[in-house]
Amino acid sequence: MRNDGPRILVIDDEPQIHRFLGPALTAAGYEPIRAESGHDALRQAATRNPALILLDLGLPDIDGHALLPRLRAFCAAPVIIVSARGDEAGKVAALDAGAEDYVEKPFALAELLARIRVVLRRAGATEVAANQTPMRIGPLTIDLDRRLARIDEDEPLHLTPREWKLLTTLARSQGRVMTQHQLLNAVWGPAHVEDAQYLRVYIGHLRQKLGRVAGLLRTEPGVGYRFGELDL
């Protein structure tokens, strides 16, 4: 029976993954679309208008790393990599190429569904909603118009311009992994994308100033950082 929920294109050559994920996605209110090769995935993405794509990297005809930019060229659906390849360089490359998130196999279904909800929530937000002020993330409020951040009713945090830029960049992307390359480019500019030490120092400063809510800023070892994943 056809599901009228958001369509999720599952690109994986393992039949057992489709047998497992298909019913689970349907039960969660989504309409799964099955693709077992890169060429089939390109056709499905072009004709079925998926809301989100789950992409395995180990496909028989087109490597997932090569397929990702081809999908991004014409399909706006966010992509979550779901792969047994756990190397940090591969994760960074996929995220820098436009993937929203990366989940390693084997995975817990509850975690994958939670990540799907986070990514769809971000993708479904309008430009106005994404930029509305103030933003509230748990006890942290970020007022973009007034350029201030505070925890509950405490005094505003004393942030340098660079710390403010780092905080707001992460907050606007909450729920998504941002690689070191992406953050350095956004906060310091393209001339500093290799200066990872800058980022480590400022992340440390920002965590100190966030104090009791520093746990909102999470490290993905060897990859980058997430901000505000309160429901994962």
Side-chain angles (χ1 to χ4, degrees), residues 24-75:
L25 291 171
T26 299
Y30 305 111
E31 180 186 344
I33 305 169
R34 180 170 179 161
E36 297 185 359
S37 69
H39 287 101
D40 188 27
L42 291 168
R43 180 181 61 82
Q44 297 277 20
T47 59
R48 301 295 300 278
N49 191 30
L52 183 140
I53 296 171
L54 300 178
L55 172 61
D56 179 38
L57 296 177
L59 299 174
D61 55 346
I62 306 174
D63 184 80
H65 283 296
L67 180 61
L68 179 57
R70 294 177 64 176
L71 288 168
R72 305 308 302 136
F74 70 89
C75 181

Short mmCIF file of all heavy atoms in Angstrom, two decimals, residues 24-75:
data_model
loop_
_atom_site.label_atom_id
_atom_site.label_comp_id
_atom_site.label_asym_id
_atom_site.label_seq_id
_atom_site.Cartn_x
_atom_site.Cartn_y
_atom_site.Cartn_z
N ALA A 24 10.41 -0.44 8.04
CA ALA A 24 10.66 0.48 9.15
C ALA A 24 10.34 1.91 8.75
O ALA A 24 9.73 2.67 9.52
CB ALA A 24 12.12 0.37 9.61
N LEU A 25 10.74 2.30 7.55
CA LEU A 25 10.44 3.66 7.08
C LEU A 25 8.94 3.84 6.86
O LEU A 25 8.38 4.89 7.19
CB LEU A 25 11.21 3.94 5.78
CG LEU A 25 12.72 4.07 5.92
CD1 LEU A 25 13.38 4.12 4.55
CD2 LEU A 25 13.09 5.31 6.73
N THR A 26 8.30 2.82 6.31
CA THR A 26 6.85 2.90 6.11
C THR A 26 6.13 3.05 7.44
O THR A 26 5.22 3.88 7.58
CB THR A 26 6.34 1.65 5.38
OG1 THR A 26 6.98 1.55 4.10
CG2 THR A 26 4.84 1.70 5.18
N ALA A 27 6.55 2.27 8.44
CA ALA A 27 5.92 2.35 9.76
C ALA A 27 6.14 3.72 10.40
O ALA A 27 5.31 4.18 11.19
CB ALA A 27 6.48 1.25 10.67
N ALA A 28 7.24 4.37 10.04
CA ALA A 28 7.53 5.70 10.59
C ALA A 28 6.84 6.83 9.82
O ALA A 28 7.01 8.00 10.16
CB ALA A 28 9.04 5.93 10.61
N GLY A 29 6.09 6.47 8.79
CA GLY A 29 5.33 7.48 8.06
C GLY A 29 5.97 7.97 6.77
O GLY A 29 5.51 8.94 6.18
N TYR A 30 7.01 7.27 6.30
CA TYR A 30 7.69 7.67 5.07
C TYR A 30 7.33 6.72 3.93
O TYR A 30 6.85 5.62 4.15
CB TYR A 30 9.21 7.68 5.27
CG TYR A 30 9.67 8.53 6.41
CD1 TYR A 30 10.22 7.96 7.57
CD2 TYR A 30 9.56 9.92 6.36
CE1 TYR A 30 10.65 8.75 8.63
CE2 TYR A 30 9.98 10.71 7.43
CZ TYR A 30 10.53 10.11 8.55
OH TYR A 30 10.94 10.90 9.60
N GLU A 31 7.60 7.17 2.71
CA GLU A 31 7.44 6.30 1.54
C GLU A 31 8.81 5.94 1.00
O GLU A 31 9.48 6.76 0.37
CB GLU A 31 6.64 7.01 0.44
CG GLU A 31 6.46 6.15 -0.80
CD GLU A 31 5.81 6.88 -1.95
OE1 GLU A 31 5.22 7.96 -1.73
OE2 GLU A 31 5.90 6.38 -3.09
N PRO A 32 9.29 4.71 1.25
CA PRO A 32 10.62 4.33 0.77
C PRO A 32 10.63 4.07 -0.73
O PRO A 32 9.69 3.50 -1.29
CB PRO A 32 10.93 3.06 1.56
CG PRO A 32 9.59 2.48 1.89
CD PRO A 32 8.65 3.64 2.04
N ILE A 33 11.71 4.51 -1.38
CA ILE A 33 11.94 4.23 -2.79
C ILE A 33 13.24 3.44 -2.87
O ILE A 33 14.26 3.84 -2.30
CB ILE A 33 12.08 5.53 -3.61
CG1 ILE A 33 10.84 6.42 -3.41
CG2 ILE A 33 12.28 5.22 -5.08
CD1 ILE A 33 11.02 7.81 -3.98
N ARG A 34 13.23 2.36 -3.61
CA ARG A 34 14.37 1.43 -3.63
C ARG A 34 15.23 1.64 -4.87
O ARG A 34 14.72 1.74 -5.99
CB ARG A 34 13.84 0.00 -3.59
CG ARG A 34 14.90 -1.09 -3.62
CD ARG A 34 14.24 -2.42 -3.34
NE ARG A 34 15.19 -3.53 -3.38
CZ ARG A 34 14.94 -4.72 -2.82
NH1 ARG A 34 13.79 -4.93 -2.20
NH2 ARG A 34 15.83 -5.68 -2.90
N ALA A 35 16.54 1.74 -4.66
CA ALA A 35 17.50 1.77 -5.77
C ALA A 35 18.70 0.93 -5.37
O ALA A 35 19.23 1.09 -4.27
CB ALA A 35 17.93 3.20 -6.07
N GLU A 36 19.13 0.02 -6.26
CA GLU A 36 20.22 -0.90 -5.93
C GLU A 36 21.49 -0.62 -6.72
O GLU A 36 22.46 -1.37 -6.62
CB GLU A 36 19.76 -2.35 -6.16
CG GLU A 36 18.62 -2.75 -5.25
CD GLU A 36 18.25 -4.22 -5.38
OE1 GLU A 36 18.86 -4.92 -6.21
OE2 GLU A 36 17.34 -4.66 -4.66
N SER A 37 21.50 0.45 -7.49
CA SER A 37 22.70 0.82 -8.25
C SER A 37 22.73 2.34 -8.40
O SER A 37 21.72 3.02 -8.19
CB SER A 37 22.70 0.17 -9.63
OG SER A 37 21.68 0.75 -10.44
N GLY A 38 23.89 2.86 -8.78
CA GLY A 38 24.02 4.29 -8.97
C GLY A 38 23.16 4.80 -10.11
O GLY A 38 22.52 5.86 -10.00
N HIS A 39 23.14 4.07 -11.23
CA HIS A 39 22.35 4.53 -12.38
C HIS A 39 20.85 4.51 -12.07
O HIS A 39 20.11 5.43 -12.45
CB HIS A 39 22.66 3.66 -13.61
CG HIS A 39 24.01 3.92 -14.19
ND1 HIS A 39 25.08 3.09 -13.97
CD2 HIS A 39 24.47 4.93 -14.97
CE1 HIS A 39 26.15 3.57 -14.59
NE2 HIS A 39 25.80 4.69 -15.21
N ASP A 40 20.40 3.48 -11.35
CA ASP A 40 19.00 3.44 -10.94
C ASP A 40 18.70 4.59 -9.98
O ASP A 40 17.63 5.21 -10.04
CB ASP A 40 18.70 2.10 -10.28
CG ASP A 40 17.21 1.92 -9.99
OD1 ASP A 40 16.38 2.51 -10.71
OD2 ASP A 40 16.87 1.19 -9.04
N ALA A 41 19.64 4.90 -9.10
CA ALA A 41 19.46 5.99 -8.15
C ALA A 41 19.29 7.33 -8.88
O ALA A 41 18.43 8.15 -8.51
CB ALA A 41 20.64 6.06 -7.19
N LEU A 42 20.11 7.57 -9.90
CA LEU A 42 19.99 8.82 -10.66
C LEU A 42 18.62 8.92 -11.33
O LEU A 42 18.00 9.99 -11.34
CB LEU A 42 21.10 8.90 -11.70
CG LEU A 42 22.53 9.08 -11.14
CD1 LEU A 42 23.56 8.86 -12.24
CD2 LEU A 42 22.69 10.48 -10.53
N ARG A 43 18.15 7.80 -11.87
CA ARG A 43 16.82 7.80 -12.51
C ARG A 43 15.72 8.05 -11.48
O ARG A 43 14.82 8.87 -11.72
CB ARG A 43 16.60 6.45 -13.21
CG ARG A 43 15.26 6.35 -13.92
CD ARG A 43 15.09 4.98 -14.57
NE ARG A 43 15.13 3.91 -13.60
CZ ARG A 43 14.07 3.54 -12.88
NH1 ARG A 43 12.91 4.17 -13.00
NH2 ARG A 43 14.17 2.55 -12.02
N GLN A 44 15.79 7.38 -10.35
CA GLN A 44 14.76 7.53 -9.32
C GLN A 44 14.76 8.95 -8.75
O GLN A 44 13.71 9.55 -8.52
CB GLN A 44 14.99 6.52 -8.20
CG GLN A 44 14.88 5.07 -8.60
CD GLN A 44 13.43 4.57 -8.62
OE1 GLN A 44 12.48 5.35 -8.69
NE2 GLN A 44 13.26 3.28 -8.56
N ALA A 45 15.96 9.49 -8.52
CA ALA A 45 16.04 10.84 -7.98
C ALA A 45 15.47 11.87 -8.95
O ALA A 45 14.87 12.87 -8.54
CB ALA A 45 17.49 11.19 -7.64
N ALA A 46 15.64 11.63 -10.25
CA ALA A 46 15.16 12.57 -11.26
C ALA A 46 13.66 12.50 -11.47
O ALA A 46 13.03 13.49 -11.85
CB ALA A 46 15.88 12.31 -12.58
N THR A 47 13.07 11.32 -11.20
CA THR A 47 11.65 11.14 -11.53
C THR A 47 10.72 11.07 -10.32
O THR A 47 9.53 11.34 -10.45
CB THR A 47 11.46 9.85 -12.35
OG1 THR A 47 11.93 8.72 -11.58
CG2 THR A 47 12.22 9.93 -13.65
N ARG A 48 11.26 10.75 -9.13
CA ARG A 48 10.38 10.52 -7.98
C ARG A 48 10.39 11.64 -6.95
O ARG A 48 9.63 11.59 -5.98
CB ARG A 48 10.77 9.20 -7.29
CG ARG A 48 10.69 7.96 -8.19
CD ARG A 48 9.27 7.65 -8.63
NE ARG A 48 8.40 7.40 -7.51
CZ ARG A 48 8.31 6.21 -6.88
NH1 ARG A 48 9.08 5.19 -7.27
NH2 ARG A 48 7.48 6.04 -5.88
N ASN A 49 11.24 12.63 -7.12
CA ASN A 49 11.26 13.80 -6.23
C ASN A 49 11.34 13.41 -4.75
O ASN A 49 10.46 13.74 -3.95
CB ASN A 49 10.02 14.67 -6.47
CG ASN A 49 10.12 16.02 -5.79
OD1 ASN A 49 11.21 16.56 -5.61
ND2 ASN A 49 8.99 16.58 -5.40
N PRO A 50 12.40 12.72 -4.34
CA PRO A 50 12.50 12.32 -2.93
C PRO A 50 12.72 13.51 -2.01
O PRO A 50 13.28 14.53 -2.41
CB PRO A 50 13.73 11.39 -2.92
CG PRO A 50 14.57 11.89 -4.06
CD PRO A 50 13.59 12.31 -5.12
N ALA A 51 12.24 13.37 -0.77
CA ALA A 51 12.47 14.41 0.24
C ALA A 51 13.83 14.25 0.88
O ALA A 51 14.39 15.22 1.41
CB ALA A 51 11.38 14.36 1.31
N LEU A 52 14.38 13.02 0.85
CA LEU A 52 15.66 12.73 1.49
C LEU A 52 16.24 11.49 0.83
O LEU A 52 15.50 10.63 0.34
CB LEU A 52 15.48 12.51 2.99
CG LEU A 52 16.72 12.25 3.84
CD1 LEU A 52 16.63 13.00 5.18
CD2 LEU A 52 16.90 10.76 4.12
N ILE A 53 17.58 11.40 0.83
CA ILE A 53 18.27 10.26 0.22
C ILE A 53 19.17 9.60 1.26
O ILE A 53 19.94 10.29 1.95
CB ILE A 53 19.11 10.71 -0.99
CG1 ILE A 53 18.21 11.26 -2.10
CG2 ILE A 53 19.96 9.55 -1.52
CD1 ILE A 53 18.95 11.91 -3.24
N LEU A 54 19.08 8.27 1.37
CA LEU A 54 20.02 7.48 2.16
C LEU A 54 20.95 6.80 1.16
O LEU A 54 20.50 6.02 0.32
CB LEU A 54 19.29 6.44 3.01
CG LEU A 54 18.28 6.96 4.03
CD1 LEU A 54 17.61 5.79 4.76
CD2 LEU A 54 18.93 7.90 5.02
N LEU A 55 22.24 7.10 1.22
CA LEU A 55 23.19 6.67 0.20
C LEU A 55 24.28 5.78 0.79
O LEU A 55 25.03 6.21 1.67
CB LEU A 55 23.83 7.90 -0.46
CG LEU A 55 24.99 7.65 -1.43
CD1 LEU A 55 24.55 6.79 -2.61
CD2 LEU A 55 25.58 8.97 -1.90
N ASP A 56 24.37 4.55 0.27
CA ASP A 56 25.49 3.67 0.59
C ASP A 56 26.63 4.00 -0.36
O ASP A 56 26.40 4.31 -1.55
CB ASP A 56 25.06 2.21 0.43
CG ASP A 56 26.19 1.24 0.72
OD1 ASP A 56 26.98 1.52 1.66
OD2 ASP A 56 26.29 0.22 0.02
N LEU A 57 27.87 3.94 0.12
CA LEU A 57 29.01 4.30 -0.72
C LEU A 57 29.49 3.14 -1.59
O LEU A 57 30.07 3.36 -2.65
CB LEU A 57 30.17 4.80 0.15
CG LEU A 57 29.92 6.09 0.94
CD1 LEU A 57 31.13 6.42 1.80
CD2 LEU A 57 29.58 7.24 0.01
N GLY A 58 29.23 1.91 -1.16
CA GLY A 58 29.76 0.75 -1.88
C GLY A 58 28.80 0.20 -2.90
O GLY A 58 28.31 -0.93 -2.76
N LEU A 59 28.53 0.94 -3.96
CA LEU A 59 27.60 0.50 -5.00
C LEU A 59 28.34 -0.25 -6.10
O LEU A 59 29.54 -0.04 -6.31
CB LEU A 59 26.86 1.71 -5.58
CG LEU A 59 26.01 2.49 -4.57
CD1 LEU A 59 25.46 3.76 -5.22
CD2 LEU A 59 24.88 1.64 -4.03
N PRO A 60 27.66 -1.12 -6.84
CA PRO A 60 28.35 -1.97 -7.82
C PRO A 60 28.81 -1.23 -9.08
O PRO A 60 29.76 -1.67 -9.73
CB PRO A 60 27.31 -3.04 -8.17
CG PRO A 60 25.99 -2.38 -7.89
CD PRO A 60 26.23 -1.48 -6.71
N ASP A 61 28.15 -0.13 -9.45
CA ASP A 61 28.47 0.51 -10.72
C ASP A 61 29.13 1.89 -10.57
O ASP A 61 30.02 2.25 -11.32
CB ASP A 61 27.22 0.64 -11.59
CG ASP A 61 26.07 1.35 -10.89
OD1 ASP A 61 26.13 1.52 -9.65
OD2 ASP A 61 25.11 1.73 -11.57
N ILE A 62 28.68 2.67 -9.59
CA ILE A 62 29.24 4.01 -9.37
C ILE A 62 29.56 4.13 -7.88
O ILE A 62 28.68 3.94 -7.04
CB ILE A 62 28.24 5.13 -9.75
CG1 ILE A 62 27.74 4.95 -11.18
CG2 ILE A 62 28.89 6.50 -9.59
CD1 ILE A 62 26.64 5.94 -11.57
N ASP A 63 30.80 4.43 -7.57
CA ASP A 63 31.15 4.62 -6.16
C ASP A 63 30.32 5.76 -5.57
O ASP A 63 30.06 6.78 -6.24
CB ASP A 63 32.64 4.94 -6.02
CG ASP A 63 33.06 5.04 -4.56
OD1 ASP A 63 33.27 3.99 -3.93
OD2 ASP A 63 33.17 6.18 -4.07
N GLY A 64 29.91 5.59 -4.32
CA GLY A 64 29.05 6.60 -3.70
C GLY A 64 29.66 7.98 -3.67
O GLY A 64 28.96 9.00 -3.81
N HIS A 65 30.98 8.08 -3.50
CA HIS A 65 31.64 9.38 -3.49
C HIS A 65 31.52 10.06 -4.85
O HIS A 65 31.44 11.29 -4.94
CB HIS A 65 33.11 9.23 -3.11
CG HIS A 65 33.34 9.02 -1.65
ND1 HIS A 65 33.01 9.95 -0.69
CD2 HIS A 65 33.85 7.95 -0.97
CE1 HIS A 65 33.33 9.49 0.51
NE2 HIS A 65 33.82 8.27 0.37
N ALA A 66 31.52 9.26 -5.93
CA ALA A 66 31.36 9.83 -7.27
C ALA A 66 29.89 10.12 -7.57
O ALA A 66 29.57 11.06 -8.31
CB ALA A 66 31.93 8.87 -8.32
N LEU A 67 29.00 9.33 -6.99
CA LEU A 67 27.57 9.52 -7.23
C LEU A 67 27.03 10.77 -6.54
O LEU A 67 26.15 11.46 -7.07
CB LEU A 67 26.79 8.29 -6.76
CG LEU A 67 25.27 8.32 -6.94
CD1 LEU A 67 24.91 8.42 -8.42
CD2 LEU A 67 24.65 7.07 -6.33
N LEU A 68 27.56 11.08 -5.36
CA LEU A 68 27.04 12.19 -4.56
C LEU A 68 27.00 13.50 -5.34
O LEU A 68 25.96 14.15 -5.40
CB LEU A 68 27.83 12.31 -3.26
CG LEU A 68 27.42 13.44 -2.32
CD1 LEU A 68 25.95 13.34 -1.93
CD2 LEU A 68 28.30 13.42 -1.06
N PRO A 69 28.11 13.97 -5.94
CA PRO A 69 28.02 15.24 -6.67
C PRO A 69 27.10 15.19 -7.87
O PRO A 69 26.51 16.21 -8.25
CB PRO A 69 29.48 15.51 -7.09
CG PRO A 69 30.17 14.21 -6.98
CD PRO A 69 29.48 13.45 -5.89
N ARG A 70 26.93 14.01 -8.48
CA ARG A 70 25.99 13.89 -9.60
C ARG A 70 24.56 14.05 -9.13
O ARG A 70 23.74 14.67 -9.81
CB ARG A 70 26.19 12.54 -10.31
CG ARG A 70 27.55 12.41 -10.99
CD ARG A 70 27.76 11.06 -11.63
NE ARG A 70 26.82 10.80 -12.72
CZ ARG A 70 26.86 9.71 -13.48
NH1 ARG A 70 27.81 8.78 -13.26
NH2 ARG A 70 25.98 9.54 -14.45
N LEU A 71 24.26 13.54 -7.94
CA LEU A 71 22.93 13.74 -7.36
C LEU A 71 22.72 15.20 -6.98
O LEU A 71 21.67 15.79 -7.26
CB LEU A 71 22.75 12.85 -6.13
CG LEU A 71 22.58 11.36 -6.37
CD1 LEU A 71 22.72 10.59 -5.05
CD2 LEU A 71 21.22 11.07 -7.00
N ARG A 72 23.75 15.81 -6.35
CA ARG A 72 23.62 17.18 -5.88
C ARG A 72 23.45 18.16 -7.02
O ARG A 72 22.91 19.25 -6.86
CB ARG A 72 24.86 17.61 -5.06
CG ARG A 72 25.24 16.74 -3.89
CD ARG A 72 24.15 16.45 -2.90
NE ARG A 72 23.57 17.63 -2.31
CZ ARG A 72 22.26 17.79 -2.16
NH1 ARG A 72 21.43 16.87 -2.57
NH2 ARG A 72 21.79 18.86 -1.59
N ALA A 73 23.91 17.76 -8.24
CA ALA A 73 23.85 18.66 -9.39
C ALA A 73 22.42 18.97 -9.82
O ALA A 73 22.17 20.03 -10.40
CB ALA A 73 24.63 18.06 -10.56
N PHE A 74 21.48 18.06 -9.54
CA PHE A 74 20.11 18.30 -10.01
C PHE A 74 19.04 18.04 -8.94
O PHE A 74 17.88 18.42 -9.13
CB PHE A 74 19.79 17.42 -11.23
CG PHE A 74 19.68 15.96 -10.94
CD1 PHE A 74 18.46 15.40 -10.59
CD2 PHE A 74 20.80 15.14 -11.00
CE1 PHE A 74 18.35 14.04 -10.32
CE2 PHE A 74 20.70 13.79 -10.73
CZ PHE A 74 19.48 13.23 -10.39
N CYS A 75 19.41 17.40 -7.84
CA CYS A 75 18.44 17.02 -6.82
C CYS A 75 18.72 17.77 -5.53
O CYS A 75 19.83 17.70 -4.99
CB CYS A 75 18.50 15.50 -6.58
SG CYS A 75 17.31 14.91 -5.36
#
